[in-house]
């Protein structure tokens, strides 16, 4: 692309000296709660976004005050696992430095909002004390590695789970800037240790997401990732992984060259060494061949489609030095969280609590935050986060189960988990307003009340027990994976959504746009009609999404 | 601009002339330019060419470019003023001569959220803009179909309203730096092409009648045009920024105060009328004022915390024995009622006129000759209130826009800007920032070459940073060379302005040695004392002086008029 220039972000990365930029100076600037423009791109690699309270902009401008800037900090948490002690620490950090709400994301980690610039360093110091960090949680790097959350009855889960951390470590940037800038560590004398064979000095052209799924549960929506690993288990043994590449859901409204894509299965690898090598080289191919002139064309999915799947696979095998075997059979039959108590390997119990839109806080329905704090304080549990933004109180001994249950019940967690409708429990919304600068419409602040209006419609047609998946996002970036839902609502303007229909229930089929720019009355009217038809004409066991496709409604 | 040799001669002339001489020279030159060639009594010619730059931004790019353009314009001796469209007063549009708008397009061809009101106003106003010359810099993204539509819309609409487009709309894609810079250059060239119509640097319209004018205590009628609480909603403070507009050019200087006669609270007035069994509409003539009883109680007479002498007279009138203390009239009437049939006018005769309150001015008339701005703290008001005014008078910040206020200028001769080439250091925490805002406005308009350094402090950064966006803009456009801020309640360590002074002690001392003038404004105790202590400490440390030597240094500064205080 001789005539096209590298994007501004590329220039910033190259000039950043290992992602340092002028962050130190930005932090010192006492006139503003913001950081310099170039640093805003770099701080993402350190796990943070600069945000502002969009609801307050106009009023503050009138007061001659700048926008109310704050930072969102996201943890790097492979597989979404955290000890009870770490949870206690996060509880305090949220209260001291952030907005108190502990937000569980759609990729199994925690993000804290509302952190003022002057509080960033203390927050990261506190993380460090807990042996947590936010490295590469955002930015043009490998992001949080997700893994099927639900511990199975066999130790296989743990075996697969360990890959999450291994991959995360393998794909960590080598720069020491995080430690220098935030943790006040001394710069290394030997700069050679900072040389980064994987990311070099230009990192990736765009974000990169890796996920691991253990069939039959596709709770992680594995095919929405750049690299999808599917655990192949035969005779209760982990045989290896099928490797798929090229998933990604983000689009731009009105742009035909952007589209959601599911990862394509390329082949199978049996040993850990081969699996890690294959993942590594997929990253290097994207590093070398991804489009750095147009960020809207930069994701791996476009790289693969440009090169062609066969060509891509050949290059991968060339770089790996071995061929991928033929993919092994697998089947996903669900994509949900198993709420309530479940028994895992080694006699450990796990309670999956329903946390609407992943916001752990105390409100009039239940006191999730207090409950989890008290549970963590017992020292008898771990915590795991699901890709549906729910919390699993995990690894509980049989002897402690009733103690834990009593706490969950006392604070209303059990009540909310048991009484919420199937649709509500499986709904996903991204954050959108008031902090996300990309939001065109509400998502997390609106979907729960919309579901409250849809539930009567479902009840009217006798399908309230049906776990129809509905997902809402404030913009087409797709952080809430709306294109993989049976009903997807993608914001186009305030109060307006494009309605997508026809995804399947297990995350194996993308949905399609049905109608544009609908407001609430239209959304409800449409669903009333469609759900009505569904209830009358569905075939046995046919999901709403499958029904839509069969009837050619999209 | 003129060549350096000539500029040197001019500066020499300015430096060696008194203020009156400079005013004369200005008038002389004005006369030459307007073709009359007569000395000082010539009328001022057309004012310095003002250009207004507006920006409508979503992500900050339009703002960034607008500020860059403002800096460039000032470097070319243009009196450029930059405002966000959502802060722009719509009624000012008809008064503009030159208007340049930097605006981006969002999503499906829409203006940025913050620009919507302005955009709608443009498309619905019936104003005619025949006097307006304009050009638009439009930002957008060509991967969207309606590329730069908002910029185009604004351009077309201004045309429809009768304005003259001096340059076609400049559309920019995501790589906007070069086309924006080209547009800056084109605009500057265009304005510079009429170089003879521009006044030289630092010239301002002379109020040529100034020379003989006496500064009398003249009551001026003004109307409140803007009143906003500068503190954000979770603050423990409440501080109002109030703008007052008069129908005449105002004769004040940055650093002065204005005295406003407050009104009494309506509910207190009504209670008095009730207790005194007065007829509110009864016309009464007093020694110094006349009006209905209600009018006199509401706006002319002091009904709070009456002087002992007034209380004594009331005791006589009402026939009660009253202790020798100051009291509010309402309490007197309630506790020591009048005899039946006492004409209420006799009570009015006892009362003194309402004493005016003083407010620090936070503007300079060089920016807007007919406006005066003040910065008023509610907390300070309440404190004063209890001591002198009881709780009877209305707080100025509660008065709505369009309220008429009567005020006069209260000169502060010992708190003034020095010559434009002198450096100034301003320490103004809390409402102390008021006079310095005026200083900065004046230095900005006059493009004064002297350097400016501001120290500001308050409680919390996110909610109490008075005039933050203005200070940021001054810093970005080079009017403020250094700014340091201290927010005492943001951390466990209570950091105040004096700590910031010490942190930058070395530079501060260097500025003093180079002849900077040091100002402190705001609370007298303990702030100004602690600031002085810190100042002495800095002089000692960085000047290598003894304690006594530092005090002498400060005394010398005072003698030279380089240590000025406005504290209360």
């Amino acid at each position: 692309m001789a005539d096209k220039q590298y994007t501004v972000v590329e220039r910033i990365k190259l000039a950043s000296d290992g992602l340092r930029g002028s962050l130190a100076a930005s932090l010192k600037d006492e006139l503003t709660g913001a950081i310099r423009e170039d640093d805003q791109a770099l701080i993402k690699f350190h796990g943070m976004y600069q945000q502002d309270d969009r609801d307050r902009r106009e009023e503050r401008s009138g007061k001659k005050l700048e926008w109310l800037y704050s930072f969102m900090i996201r943890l790097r948490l492979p597989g979404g696992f955290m000890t009870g002690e770490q949870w206690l620490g996060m509880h305090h950090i949220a209260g001291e430095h952030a907005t108190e709400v502990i937000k569980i994301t759609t990729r199994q980690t925690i993000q804290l909002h509302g952190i003022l610039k002057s509080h960033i360093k203390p927050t990261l110091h506190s993380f460090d004390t807990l042996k947590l960090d936010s490295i590469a949680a955002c930015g043009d790097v490998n992001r949080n590695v997700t893994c099927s959350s639900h511990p199975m009855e066999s130790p296989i889960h743990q075996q697969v789970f360990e890959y999450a951390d291994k991959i995360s470590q393998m794909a960590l940037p080598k720069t020491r800037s995080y430690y220098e800038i935030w943790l006040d560590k001394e710069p290394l004398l030997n700069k050679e240790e900072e040389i980064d064979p994987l990311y070099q000095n230009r990192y990736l052209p765009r974000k990169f997401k890796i996920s691991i799924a253990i069939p039959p549960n596709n709770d992680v929506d594995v095919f929405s990732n750049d690299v999808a690993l599917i655990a192949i288990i035969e005779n209760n043994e982990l045989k290896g992984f099928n490797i798929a590449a090229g998933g990604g859901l983000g689009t731009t409204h009105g742009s035909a060259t952007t589209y959601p894509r599911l990862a394509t299965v390329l082949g199978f690898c049996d040993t850990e060494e081969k699996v890690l090598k294959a993942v590594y080289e997929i990253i290097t191919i994207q590093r070398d061949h991804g489009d750095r002139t147009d960020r809207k064309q930069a994701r791996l999915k476009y790289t693969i489609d440009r090169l062609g799947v066969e060509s891509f696979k050949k290059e991968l095998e060339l770089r790996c030095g071995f061929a991928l075997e033929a993919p092994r059979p697998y089947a996903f039959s669900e994509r949900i969280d198993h709420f309530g108590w479940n028994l895992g390997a080694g006699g450990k119990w796990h309670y999956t609590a329903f946390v609407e839109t992943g916001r752990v806080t105390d409100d009039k329905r239940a006191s999730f935050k207090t409950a989890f704090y008290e549970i963590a304080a017992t020292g008898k549990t771990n915590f795991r986060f699901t890709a549906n933004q729910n919390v699993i109180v995990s690894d509980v001994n049989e002897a402690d189960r009733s103690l834990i249950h009593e706490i969950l019940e006392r604070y209303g967690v059990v009540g909310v988990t048991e009484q919420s409708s199937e649709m509500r429990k499986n709904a996903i919304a991204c954050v959108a307003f008031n902090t996300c600068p990309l939001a065109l419409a509400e998502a997390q602040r609106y979907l729960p009340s919309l579901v409250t209006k849809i539930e009567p419609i479902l009840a009217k047609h006798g399908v309230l027990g049906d776990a129809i998946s509905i997902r809402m996002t404030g913009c087409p970036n797709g952080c809430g994976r709306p294109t993989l839902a049976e009903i997807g609502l993608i914001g186009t303007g305030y109060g307006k959504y494009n309605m997508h229909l026809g995804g399947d229930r297990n995350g194996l089929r993308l949905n399609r746009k049905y109608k544009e720019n609908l407001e609430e009355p239209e959304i409800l009217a449409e669903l009333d009609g469609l759900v009505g038809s569904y209830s009358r004409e569905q075939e046995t066991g046919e999901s709403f999404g499958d029904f839509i496709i069969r009837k050619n409604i999209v | 601009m003129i060549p350096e040799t000539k500029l040197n001669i001019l500066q020499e002339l300015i430096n060696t002339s008194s203020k009156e001489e400079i005013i004369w020279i200005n008038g002389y030159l004005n006369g030459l330019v307007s073709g009359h060639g007569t000395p000082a009594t010539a009328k001022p010619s057309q004012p310095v060419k003002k250009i207004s730059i507006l920006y409508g931004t979503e992500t900050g790019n339009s703002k960034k470019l607008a500020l860059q353009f403002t800096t460039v314009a000032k470097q070319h001796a243009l009196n450029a003023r930059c405002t966000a469209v959502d802060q722009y007063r719509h009624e000012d549009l008809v008064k503009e001569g030159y208007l340049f708008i930097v605006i981006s397009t969002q999503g499906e061809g829409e203006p940025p959220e913050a620009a919507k009101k302005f955009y709608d106003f443009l498309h619905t106003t019936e104003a005619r803009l025949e006097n307006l010359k304009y050009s638009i810099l439009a930002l957008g993204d060509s991967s969207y179909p309606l590329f730069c539509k908002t910029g185009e819309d604004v351009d077309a609409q201004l045309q429809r309203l009768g304005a003259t487009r001096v340059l076609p709309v400049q559309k920019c894609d995501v790589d906007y730096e070069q086309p924006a810079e080209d547009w800056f250059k084109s605009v500057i060239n265009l304005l510079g092409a009429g170089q003879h119509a521009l006044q030289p640097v630092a010239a301002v319209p002379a109020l040529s009648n100034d020379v003989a004018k006496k500064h009398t205590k003249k009551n001026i009628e003004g109307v409140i045009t803007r009143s906003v609480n500068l503190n954000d909603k979770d603050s423990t403070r409440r501080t109002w920024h109030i703008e007052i507009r008069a129908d005449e050019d105002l004769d004040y200087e940055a650093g002065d105060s204005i005295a406003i006669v407050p009104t009494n609270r309506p509910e207190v007035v009504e209670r008095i009328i009730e207790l005194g069994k007065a007829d509110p509409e009864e016309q009464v003539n007093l020694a110094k004022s006349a009006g209905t009883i209600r009018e006199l109680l509401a706006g002319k007479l002091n009904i709070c915390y009456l002087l002992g002498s007034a209380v004594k007279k009331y005791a006589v009138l009402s026939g009660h024995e009253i202790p020798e203390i100051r009291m509010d009239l309402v309490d007197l009437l309630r506790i020591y009622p009048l005899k039946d049939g006492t004409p209420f006018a006799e009570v009015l005769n006892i009362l003194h006129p309402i004493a005016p309150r003083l407010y620090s001015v936070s503007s300079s008339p060089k920016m807007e000759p007919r406006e005066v701005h003040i910065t008023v703290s509610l907390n300070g008001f309440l404190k004063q209130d209890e001591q002198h005014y009881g709780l009877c008078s209305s707080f100025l910040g509660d008065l709505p826009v369009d309220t008429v206020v009567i005020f006069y200028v209260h000169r502060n001769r010992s708190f003034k800007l020095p010559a434009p080439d002198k450096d100034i250091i301003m320490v103004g925490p809390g409402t102390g920032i008021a006079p310095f805002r005026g200083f900065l406005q004046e230095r900005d308009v006059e493009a004064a070459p002297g350097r400016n350094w501001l120290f500001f402090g308050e409680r919390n950064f996110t909610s109490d940073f008075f005039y933050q966006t203005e200070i940021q803009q001054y810093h970005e456009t080079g009017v403020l060379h250094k700014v340091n801020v201290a927010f005492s309640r943001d951390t466990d360590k209570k950091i105040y302005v004096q700590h910031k002074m010490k942190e930058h002690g070395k530079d501060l001392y260097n500025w003093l040695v180079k002849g900077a003038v040091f100002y402190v404004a705001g609370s007298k105790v303990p702030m100004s004392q602690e600031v002085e202590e810190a100042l002495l400490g800095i002089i000692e440390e960085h000047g290598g002086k003894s304690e006594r030597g530092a005090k002498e240094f400060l005394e010398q500064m005072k003698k030279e008029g380089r240590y000025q205080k406005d504290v209360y």
Side-chain angles (χ1 to χ4, degrees):
Chain A
M1 307 196 189
D3 54 340
K4 277 180 154 200
Q5 278 185 321
Y6 282 170
T7 65
V8 169
V9 180
E10 293 301 314
R11 177 183 59 74
I12 293 172
K13 284 186 280 187
L14 282 173
S16 72
D17 181 25
L19 305 172
R20 291 170 180 82
S22 59
L23 276 166
S26 270
L27 287 178
K28 286 213 188 89
D29 187 341
E30 47 184 10
L31 294 190
T32 172
I35 58 177
R36 298 171 183 179
E37 206 179 319
D38 284 6
D39 293 333
Q40 287 172 38
L42 293 173
I43 210 174
K44 293 180 188 178
F45 291 82
H46 297 269
M48 301 168 241
Y49 279 104
Q50 178 177 296
Q51 302 185 320
D52 77 279
D53 187 341
R54 291 176 72 171
D55 293 338
R56 306 290 338 283
R57 282 180 181 179
E58 196 179 334
E59 195 186 348
R60 281 183 64 97
S61 288
K63 290 173 183 284
K64 302 180 189 285
L65 291 170
E66 66 174 7
W67 289 355
L68 189 53
Y69 292 107
S70 65
F71 290 80
M72 180 284 287
I73 305 186
R74 182 186 291 160
L75 283 182
R76 183 178 66 89
L77 206 65
F81 175 88
M82 178 177 277
T83 66
E85 201 186 316
Q86 287 171 328
W87 178 272
L88 286 176
M90 289 303 293
H91 176 106
H92 289 300
I93 294 170
E96 200 184 332
H97 298 295
T99 63
E100 291 214 310
V101 175
I102 300 175
K103 165 88 179 176
I104 313 298
T105 73
T106 56
R107 295 197 86 250
Q108 298 181 317
T109 179
I110 287 179
Q111 60 193 39
L112 301 178
H113 288 266
I115 298 167
L116 295 181
K117 186 167 80 171
S118 54
H119 283 249
I120 297 177
K121 273 179 85 165
T123 302
L124 293 176
H125 272 268
S126 297
F127 283 177
D128 189 49
T129 315
L130 300 169
K131 296 201 181 46
L132 294 170
D133 64 72
S134 61
I135 301 173
C138 316
D140 300 340
V141 272
N142 176 48
R143 304 285 189 88
N144 199 41
V145 179
T146 61
C147 177
S148 282
S149 319
H150 298 276
M152 297 146 65
E153 283 189 31
S154 82
I156 299 231
H157 181 269
Q158 181 59 26
Q159 199 185 351
V160 172
F161 188 82
E162 282 166 10
Y163 274 82
D165 190 51
K166 287 178 186 150
I167 294 173
S168 178
Q169 288 296 327
M170 175 183 81
L172 267 186
K174 294 274 182 290
T175 174
R176 301 271 307 158
S177 52
Y178 180 93
Y179 304 99
E180 286 169 28
I181 296 171
W182 313 109
L183 303 180
D184 298 321
K185 299 266 194 279
E186 285 302 311
L188 292 178
L189 290 173
N190 181 10
K191 280 285 189 178
E192 301 241 315
E193 287 184 43
E194 268 204 28
I195 292 178
D196 198 330
L198 177 60
Y199 294 118
Q200 298 164 353
N201 64 344
R202 49 196 178 129
Y203 300 87
L204 300 178
R206 210 58 170 91
K207 65 180 84 159
F208 200 89
K209 300 181 181 181
I210 301 176
S211 179
I212 308 168
I214 306 176
N217 197 344
N218 187 19
D219 58 333
V220 290
D221 250 337
V222 78
F223 294 107
S224 66
N225 290 270
D226 295 87
V227 172
L229 297 177
I230 300 155
I232 300 299
I233 297 166
E234 291 164 11
N235 302 324
N236 228 0
E237 259 185 60
L238 175 66
K239 292 294 185 193
F241 293 84
N242 278 350
I243 300 180
L249 303 181
T251 65
T252 301
H253 280 314
S255 163
T257 52
T258 64
Y259 48 86
R261 189 185 189 285
L262 296 181
T264 309
V265 177
L266 298 175
F268 170 84
C269 288
D270 57 355
T271 66
E272 176 181 317
E273 198 190 331
K274 281 193 179 157
V275 168
L276 294 180
K277 179 70 169 161
V279 171
Y280 186 91
E281 295 301 346
I282 292 174
I283 301 175
T284 65
I285 298 175
Q286 166 66 351
R287 176 198 67 205
D288 296 337
H289 291 278
D291 188 341
R292 292 178 189 261
T293 68
D294 180 357
R295 287 183 71 84
K296 295 198 178 61
Q297 293 293 302
R299 287 292 292 276
L300 176 63
K301 61 182 170 179
Y302 301 119
T303 313
I304 289 187
D305 282 348
R306 211 171 51 245
L307 298 173
V309 173
E310 280 316 304
S311 197
F312 182 86
K313 188 174 163 193
K314 270 206 187 67
E315 176 66 20
L316 176 60
E317 291 173 333
L318 183 65
R319 291 185 183 214
C320 285
F322 57 80
L324 299 175
E325 293 175 38
R328 300 265 179 108
Y330 64 92
F332 287 115
S333 58
E334 58 185 12
R335 184 185 57 176
I336 51 169
D337 289 343
H338 291 274
F339 296 103
W341 286 107
N342 291 289
L343 181 61
K348 300 281 190 181
W349 287 91
H350 312 276
Y351 185 89
T352 304
F354 168 56
V355 183
E356 189 150 37
T357 64
R359 297 179 74 250
V360 176
T361 183
D362 293 343
D363 62 27
K364 52 185 194 282
R365 293 168 312 143
S367 298
F368 287 94
K369 196 161 173 232
T370 308
F372 292 146
Y373 183 80
E374 221 175 281
I375 288 171
T378 65
K380 298 181 192 296
T381 73
N382 291 320
F383 289 80
R384 293 168 193 261
F385 310 122
T386 76
N388 288 301
Q389 304 179 288
N390 294 312
V391 176
I392 305 178
V393 176
S394 74
D395 306 295
V396 180
N397 287 325
E398 169 72 61
D400 303 318
R401 193 149 79 100
S402 56
L403 166 70
I404 302 298
H405 188 90
E406 189 276 322
I407 299 173
L408 290 168
E409 184 142 49
R410 178 158 33 99
Y411 288 106
V413 177
V414 174
V416 168
T417 301
E418 290 180 352
Q419 288 152 29
S420 298
S421 68
E422 293 306 305
M423 169 176 272
R424 187 179 298 279
K425 284 196 294 211
N426 290 297
I428 295 181
C430 72
V431 175
F433 288 98
N434 56 337
T435 53
C436 179
L438 305 173
L440 300 168
E442 297 275 4
Q444 129 185 322
R445 293 201 302 199
Y446 173 48
L447 184 60
S449 64
L450 181 64
V451 169
T452 305
K453 295 186 180 160
I454 297 174
E455 283 163 344
I457 295 174
L458 300 178
K460 177 171 119 187
H461 296 293
V463 292
L464 188 57
D466 204 331
I468 300 176
S469 68
I470 182 170
R471 295 175 176 178
M472 176 184 279
T473 58
C475 89
N477 271 354
C479 303
R481 303 194 292 273
T483 46
L484 279 172
E486 294 173 88
I487 303 169
L489 293 168
I490 302 179
T492 55
Y494 208 77
K496 298 203 172 89
Y497 300 85
N498 287 349
M499 182 183 279
H500 288 232
L501 295 173
D504 78 323
R505 203 161 281 192
N506 300 325
L508 305 177
R509 182 178 68 229
L510 293 166
N511 57 29
R512 294 178 216 165
K513 186 157 64 175
Y514 169 64
K515 287 203 174 152
E516 288 183 339
N517 295 321
L518 300 183
E519 293 184 32
E520 184 178 281
E522 295 160 286
I523 293 173
L524 295 173
E526 288 289 345
L527 288 179
D528 195 9
L530 293 163
V531 172
S533 307
Y534 170 65
S535 75
R536 287 188 300 275
E537 298 163 40
Q538 82 176 126
E539 289 173 357
T540 323
E542 181 180 49
S543 74
F544 180 66
D546 290 344
F547 168 79
I548 296 286
I549 295 298
R550 178 168 67 82
K551 288 286 191 175
N552 290 317
I553 292 173
V554 282
Chain B
M1 292 284 273
I2 54 179
E4 192 156 7
T5 42
K6 290 193 183 166
L7 185 59
N8 288 339
I9 296 173
L10 182 61
Q11 278 175 341
E12 239 246 271
L13 180 59
I14 289 170
N15 287 344
T16 54
S17 303
S18 72
K19 185 176 177 190
E20 280 72 24
E21 286 176 328
I22 291 175
I23 292 169
W24 187 96
I25 294 168
N26 190 39
Y28 185 78
L29 290 174
N30 285 341
L32 280 180
V33 166
S34 58
H36 292 119
T38 47
T41 50
K43 287 265 185 281
S45 69
Q46 67 266 46
V48 172
K49 185 174 284 178
K50 268 170 50 170
I51 66 168
S52 284
I53 299 166
L54 300 182
Y55 61 88
T57 191
E58 186 69 42
T59 55
N61 289 328
S62 294
K63 176 178 174 181
K64 183 176 89 170
L65 288 175
L67 286 175
Q68 276 174 14
F69 179 50
T70 307
T71 311
V72 168
K74 285 182 198 214
Q75 285 163 359
H76 286 84
L78 292 166
N79 182 356
R81 187 108 56 84
C82 183
T83 319
V85 290
D86 62 311
Q87 297 306 313
Y88 181 70
R89 281 194 298 223
H90 298 172
E91 53 268 28
D92 287 347
L93 189 59
V94 286
K95 300 179 210 148
E96 300 282 2
Y98 283 93
L99 183 67
F100 298 98
I101 306 181
V102 185
I103 194 161
S104 61
T105 300
Q106 303 310 301
E108 313 282 326
E110 309 246 292
E113 191 65 44
K116 285 204 168 103
K117 284 212 181 100
F118 177 75
Y119 182 87
D120 290 338
F121 157 71
L122 273 186
H123 285 78
T124 53
T125 182
E126 287 171 10
R128 293 302 301 167
L129 304 174
E130 260 84 13
N131 288 330
L132 180 67
K133 299 185 180 52
Y134 74 94
S135 176
I136 312 291
L137 179 66
L139 269 59
D141 184 342
S142 62
S143 51
Y144 289 86
L146 296 168
F147 178 55
C148 290
K149 178 146 196 314
T150 303
E152 282 181 346
D153 288 345
V154 171
D155 181 75
Q157 184 60 17
L158 286 173
Q159 183 84 325
R160 254 178 244 123
L161 294 171
T164 307
R165 180 194 290 134
V166 293
L167 275 178
V169 62
Q170 173 79 299
K171 295 193 218 181
C172 304
D173 207 334
V174 285
D175 278 328
Y176 50 72
E177 271 98 8
Q178 193 55 53
E181 214 183 292
D182 293 340
W183 181 81
F184 294 169
K185 286 207 186 87
S186 305
V187 172
I188 298 292
N189 279 340
L190 195 91
L191 294 174
Q195 188 72 44
H196 60 272
L198 288 176
Q199 299 282 16
V201 178
V204 279
L207 296 171
S208 54
N209 300 323
D210 231 4
V211 192
K213 198 166 190 172
K214 272 202 310 216
H215 301 300
T216 50
K217 194 173 98 176
K218 171 189 158 191
N219 273 348
I220 305 163
E221 186 178 292
V223 69
I224 294 180
T225 53
R226 191 171 177 186
S227 178
V228 62
N229 178 357
L230 294 171
N231 300 91
D232 206 6
K233 49 186 195 169
D234 52 352
S235 173
T236 50
R237 302 280 217 200
R238 284 198 285 159
T239 315
W240 259 260
H241 168 77
I242 300 173
E243 299 181 5
I244 299 168
R245 173 167 270 270
D247 279 334
E248 52 184 282
D249 285 0
L250 294 170
D251 179 25
Y252 73 95
E253 288 175 336
D256 287 340
S257 302
I258 56 171
I260 299 182
V261 176
T263 52
N264 290 317
R265 289 207 195 144
E267 61 269 19
V268 179
V269 169
E270 293 311 309
R271 186 85 178 102
I272 289 172
I273 289 172
E274 193 189 2
L275 287 168
K277 298 193 183 61
D279 170 11
E281 300 304 322
E282 182 188 324
Q283 206 50 33
V284 175
N285 289 335
L286 298 172
K288 289 186 184 155
S289 52
T292 66
I293 289 185
R294 180 178 277 133
E295 281 168 358
L296 291 169
L297 287 172
K300 300 277 193 258
L301 299 170
N302 182 36
I303 56 176
C304 304
Y305 205 55
L306 304 193
L307 288 173
S309 54
V311 174
K312 254 201 208 145
K313 287 188 192 157
Y314 181 86
V316 169
L317 178 64
S318 64
H320 290 284
E321 277 229 22
I322 304 179
E324 277 181 46
I325 50 168
R326 299 180 65 165
M327 278 181 81
D328 293 345
L329 178 60
V330 67
D331 291 331
L332 278 176
L333 288 168
R334 184 173 50 85
I335 304 172
Y336 307 103
L338 294 167
K339 288 187 283 226
D340 271 350
T342 312
F344 196 74
E346 297 195 18
V347 177
L348 298 185
N349 274 320
I350 295 171
L351 304 175
H352 297 272
I354 302 181
R357 299 184 119 133
L358 285 183
Y359 298 94
S360 284
V361 164
S362 54
S363 59
S364 164
K366 303 242 162 84
M367 179 106 151
E368 282 291 355
R370 297 196 168 186
E371 276 185 19
V372 63
H373 302 175
I374 54 179
T375 310
V376 185
S377 159
L378 175 61
N379 312 72
F381 172 93
L382 287 176
K383 214 168 106 176
Q384 251 193 327
D385 220 16
E386 272 165 47
Q387 285 169 16
H388 303 295
Y389 297 89
L391 289 169
C392 308
S393 38
S394 300
F395 173 59
L396 203 62
D398 289 335
L399 299 180
V401 164
D402 291 334
T403 305
V404 172
V405 290
I406 311 290
F407 65 95
Y408 61 85
V409 174
H410 180 93
R411 293 257 170 236
N412 190 347
R413 286 169 213 293
S414 55
F415 203 78
K416 286 282 164 289
L417 273 172
D421 64 331
K422 293 271 178 283
D423 296 340
I424 60 176
I425 302 171
M426 304 167 276
V427 179
T431 49
I433 195 174
F436 301 135
R437 181 173 182 266
F439 280 14
L440 288 169
Q441 285 188 353
E442 184 160 326
R443 286 215 143 184
D444 182 24
V445 166
E446 311 219 278
R451 296 179 299 170
N452 309 307
W453 187 345
L454 175 69
F455 288 89
F456 174 74
E458 246 295 344
R459 286 184 178 172
N460 293 102
F461 171 82
T462 53
S463 57
D464 307 317
F465 194 159
F466 301 158
Y467 303 111
Q468 178 183 30
T469 52
E470 291 183 354
I471 290 171
Q472 285 174 341
Q473 187 166 330
Y474 281 139
H475 192 235
E476 269 172 68
T477 54
V479 176
L480 266 174
H481 296 75
K482 285 166 88 71
V483 190
N484 295 104
V485 291
F487 293 97
S488 58
R489 299 203 180 178
D490 274 347
T491 59
D492 293 330
K493 309 178 259 189
K494 292 209 157 194
I495 302 191
Y496 295 107
V497 284
Q498 53 269 28
H499 299 115
K500 289 290 174 177
M501 282 168 59
K502 283 191 213 149
E503 201 181 305
H504 297 270
K506 183 152 174 243
D507 282 343
L508 210 161
Y509 182 70
N510 278 335
W511 278 49
L512 293 179
V513 159
K514 290 207 177 88
V517 182
F518 187 90
Y519 299 87
V520 58
S523 134
K524 191 167 188 179
V525 177
M527 188 277 295
S528 71
Q529 296 162 333
E530 289 178 356
V531 164
E532 184 164 308
E533 241 181 83
L535 188 59
L536 285 166
I538 288 167
I539 296 168
E540 254 187 76
E541 186 185 337
H542 298 281
K545 298 190 193 306
S546 65
E547 196 182 314
R548 175 139 167 228
K551 287 208 171 100
E552 282 169 7
F553 186 94
L554 199 62
E555 274 310 307
Q556 182 57 26
M557 278 177 66
K558 282 187 198 162
K559 279 208 191 92
E560 294 173 15
R562 290 171 47 227
Y563 182 29
Q564 300 186 28
K565 292 196 263 193
D566 181 15
V567 295
Y568 34 83

